[in-house]
Amino acid sequence: MAAWVVCALCALVIIKPQEFIPELSGIPLVHAAFGLTLLCVALDVVWRRLKPALAPQVVYALAFLAWAALTTALKRPTALEERGLQLATVAGIFLAVSVAAASPRGLRALAITLVGCAVLTTVVAIVQAFQPHGCMLAAPEDWEGKGELEPDGRPCETNVDCRKDPPVPDGNYRCERPGPLGTSTIDGRVRYRGSLADPNELSLMAGMSIPLAIALAERRARPRRDGRPPRPPGRSDAGRPPTLPGGSDAGRPPRPPRRSGAGRPRPPDGGAGPPVAAPLAPGVVAARARPALPLLLTDRLLSRICAALRALPVAAVIVAIGAMVVMSRSRSGLIVYLAVLGLSFIRRSGALGVIAACFVGPPMLLLGGRSGDEATESSEERAALLREAFEMIRRTRGIGVGAGQFGDESSFGLTAHNSYMLAAAETGLLGMCLFALVLYASLKVPLAIWLGDVEVGPTARRFAPAIFVSLCGALIGIFFLSWAYKDVLYMVLGASAALYGAARAEDGRVSVRVSAREAALVCGGMFAVLALLNVLLRFLG
């Protein structure tokens, strides 16, 4: 019960129906869903439907968010109320997903929710791309059009057309494509609304859902390498009868003696009777008669046909997300899409997956992303933001300027467009290390369950590689986006923690910890990345 409630909470945070349904605008849906989640979690724990387990990333995530609030209180006390509420919301969503979805049914429900949200936003973006242009009015201070745009019904081809006899004199008009649910494009790039109003963030969220969609299509566990069917979870060889010397049947109860032809009644005419099959040699077992099937209709062919039919919806989702990424012209989204798809192909098909990725990659690189002066200007702007991040670290002596304060301290009025540098500039070097440990522990949990020698159920075994690949895509994407406190990122991190709880409930031997040596290596790696970026920026001038 708690799993579906927390899934509704995640859907409300991502889709934001209260923003385009007027009847829901004044209702605190997110707060109500969060309170109901806490109640359902308590009931499931009392009824022993959930067995809470503390995943290693939970401690680091809470420590990072608490340290971010502390740095804000030290550097910008006036912004503590606003940023503290944002950080508390992210922490609440992370904990709710980590606990409420910690079961096989909860993992599946969470995957369905995230994939469903990705499909909905993708469909909205694709429909948006084929709408005719119209004049849109933005907020007076929103000159980049990143907020909500209101159409006024006038057709247009350029922004100049919207400034001819406008209904609102001196209004901030833009010529964009209106879409469903009150959405619109930005500079011709498709997007959603709310926290996914940036085309790059929409592409990253959709790309992260691809491994989960593939895992949902894998309904049967793969056979073992020795050709035998997979062993049921929790079953061992201890309950089997021992094999004694002298044959494989030595430990089994004795079989009843076979009847011979001497005791059978003979026909009255003294005939020989029906023919009797010759006795088999000792140790030879008679083969069973197989059903008469057509020559080409075999079990293997039928299973492959069924697998292909199950893969059709997943293939449609992958193609739709790829089309949306191309229409968004997001270079970071394109990199994440290719990385996630390539890892999924290689995991399932090996060398054939590499060949398939080579066929998919070049067309996507040619069609997607931005080029020309626009791309050059964006790259130079990102480099300048990274230089300002280093200046903030030096100016605050490694303490940080406070959560959410990068835009106010920057001369561009933008965030760092790099989550690792954003964490370092806003929460200091300690916050950067805590953020890196959150990501490392979240990656280690599914990897340990995927490759570890533990007897977990088929659901945990199936979703472990999917969550690992999804997090790999997230780690690549957040290098180009400011997702240090993003709710969508912490939903996937919470999915990793929920996977740990579900696996530990099925096998108590599951234990994943981050040692002091690993923590030192992770922090040292982050300092090495900072030094490398600093040298690279100096080299670029």
Side-chain angles (χ1 to χ4, degrees):
M1 182 171 56
W4 290 107
V5 177
V6 78
C7 290
L9 172 64
C10 296
L12 289 173
V13 173
I14 296 175
I15 303 300
K16 297 187 181 299
Q18 63 273 18
E19 293 187 1
F20 55 84
I21 300 179
E23 292 78 10
L24 302 178
S25 59
I27 303 176
L29 295 177
V30 176
H31 299 83
F34 182 73
L36 186 59
T37 301
L38 295 180
L39 177 61
C40 293
V41 166
L43 293 177
D44 284 351
V45 171
V46 171
W47 292 339
R48 297 183 179 181
R49 295 178 179 176
L50 284 177
K51 296 181 180 179
L54 185 64
Q57 63 264 41
V58 173
V59 177
Y60 294 118
L62 296 181
F64 168 68
L65 296 175
W67 177 253
L70 180 60
T71 55
T72 307
L74 294 176
K75 294 297 183 179
R76 190 69 62 88
T78 57
L80 179 60
E81 181 178 358
E82 178 184 359
R83 297 302 172 185
L85 181 61
Q86 177 190 3
L87 296 174
T89 302
V90 172
I93 293 174
F94 172 73
L95 286 177
V97 173
S98 303
V99 178
S103 64
R105 183 176 300 178
L107 286 175
R108 182 176 176 82
L110 182 62
I112 292 174
T113 302
L114 295 179
V115 173
C117 292
V119 171
L120 176 60
T121 54
T122 298
V123 170
V124 168
I126 292 176
V127 173
Q128 183 185 108
F130 293 96
Q131 298 297 316
H133 286 86
C135 294
M136 313 284 290
L137 180 62
E141 67 279 0
D142 186 16
W143 291 104
E144 295 184 358
K146 293 186 176 181
E148 296 183 8
L149 302 179
E150 182 180 355
D152 63 1
R154 294 181 300 158
C156 63
E157 294 182 359
T158 61
N159 293 336
V160 178
D161 298 336
C162 296
R163 298 189 181 98
K164 298 178 180 178
D165 301 326
V168 179
D170 299 330
N172 185 9
Y173 282 99
R174 304 179 64 87
C175 183
E176 300 289 351
R177 298 179 185 269
L181 307 182
T183 61
S184 61
T185 59
I186 173 174
D187 294 332
R189 305 169 64 190
V190 297
R191 59 174 182 167
Y192 190 63
R193 58 182 305 130
S195 59
L196 301 179
D198 188 355
N200 300 314
E201 298 185 358
L202 173 61
S203 300
L204 176 56
M205 189 276 295
M208 290 165 55
S209 67
I210 291 178
L212 301 178
I214 296 176
L216 288 173
E218 298 175 354
R219 296 188 178 182
R220 294 183 179 179
R222 294 184 178 181
R224 297 174 60 179
R225 293 182 179 179
D226 54 3
R228 292 180 292 176
R231 185 182 302 173
R235 182 178 177 183
S236 62
D237 295 335
R240 298 181 180 178
T243 302
L244 301 178
S248 59
D249 297 334
R252 299 180 182 177
R255 297 179 180 178
R258 297 181 179 179
R259 296 180 59 185
S260 61
R264 296 179 183 176
R266 294 182 177 272
D269 55 355
V276 180
L280 299 176
V284 178
V285 180
R288 297 180 180 179
R290 296 184 178 181
L293 293 177
L295 183 60
L296 297 179
L297 192 60
T298 61
D299 292 342
R300 187 175 183 183
L301 178 61
L302 290 175
S303 63
R304 288 188 175 183
I305 293 175
C306 293
L309 292 177
R310 287 199 305 267
L312 286 179
V314 180
V317 170
I318 294 175
V319 172
I321 292 177
M324 183 272 295
V325 171
V326 171
M327 295 175 184
S328 68
R329 302 205 305 268
S330 172
R331 291 176 293 178
S332 60
L334 180 62
I335 295 174
V336 171
Y337 179 83
L338 294 177
V340 167
L341 208 59
L343 289 175
S344 301
F345 283 171
I346 294 173
R347 182 180 73 87
R348 291 184 59 84
S349 305
L352 294 178
V354 177
I355 297 175
C358 293
F359 278 100
V360 175
M364 293 289 295
L365 292 174
L366 291 176
L367 297 175
R370 290 179 290 175
S371 58
D373 296 338
E374 183 182 7
T376 303
E377 182 180 355
S378 176
S379 300
E380 293 176 353
E381 184 181 70
R382 289 173 182 267
L385 290 171
L386 292 179
R387 295 189 184 94
E388 289 190 343
F390 280 108
E391 180 60 29
M392 294 178 193
I393 296 173
R394 286 190 291 265
R395 189 172 69 247
T396 59
R397 297 181 180 180
I399 299 178
V401 297
Q405 306 307 308
F406 191 100
D408 295 337
E409 299 289 335
S410 172
S411 60
F412 295 90
L414 302 174
T415 56
H417 285 76
N418 185 302
S419 297
Y420 307 100
M421 291 301 301
L422 180 68
E426 292 189 347
T427 63
L429 300 179
L430 177 59
M432 176 195 68
C433 293
L434 290 174
F435 182 67
L437 288 172
V438 174
L439 301 177
Y440 173 76
S442 299
L443 273 177
K444 186 177 180 180
V445 166
L447 187 63
I449 296 174
W450 178 17
L451 302 179
D453 187 15
V454 291
E455 294 289 343
V456 298
T459 302
R461 182 72 66 182
R462 185 169 70 247
F463 281 103
I467 294 175
F468 176 79
V469 175
S470 180
L471 284 173
C472 287
L475 264 64
I476 296 173
I478 65 176
F479 189 84
F480 308 97
L481 296 175
S482 301
W483 270 35
Y485 327 104
K486 192 69 172 180
D487 44 20
V488 179
L489 175 63
Y490 282 85
M491 289 179 192
V492 184
L493 298 177
S496 175
L499 173 67
Y500 179 80
R504 188 164 178 80
E506 295 176 336
D507 189 349
R509 297 178 301 168
V510 176
S511 179
V512 181
R513 295 290 181 267
V514 178
S515 63
R517 179 182 179 183
E518 290 175 309
L521 290 176
V522 170
C523 296
M526 288 302 301
F527 282 106
V529 170
L530 284 182
L532 182 61
L533 281 177
N534 193 11
V535 171
L536 182 61
L537 290 175
R538 291 179 181 274
F539 177 76
L540 295 177

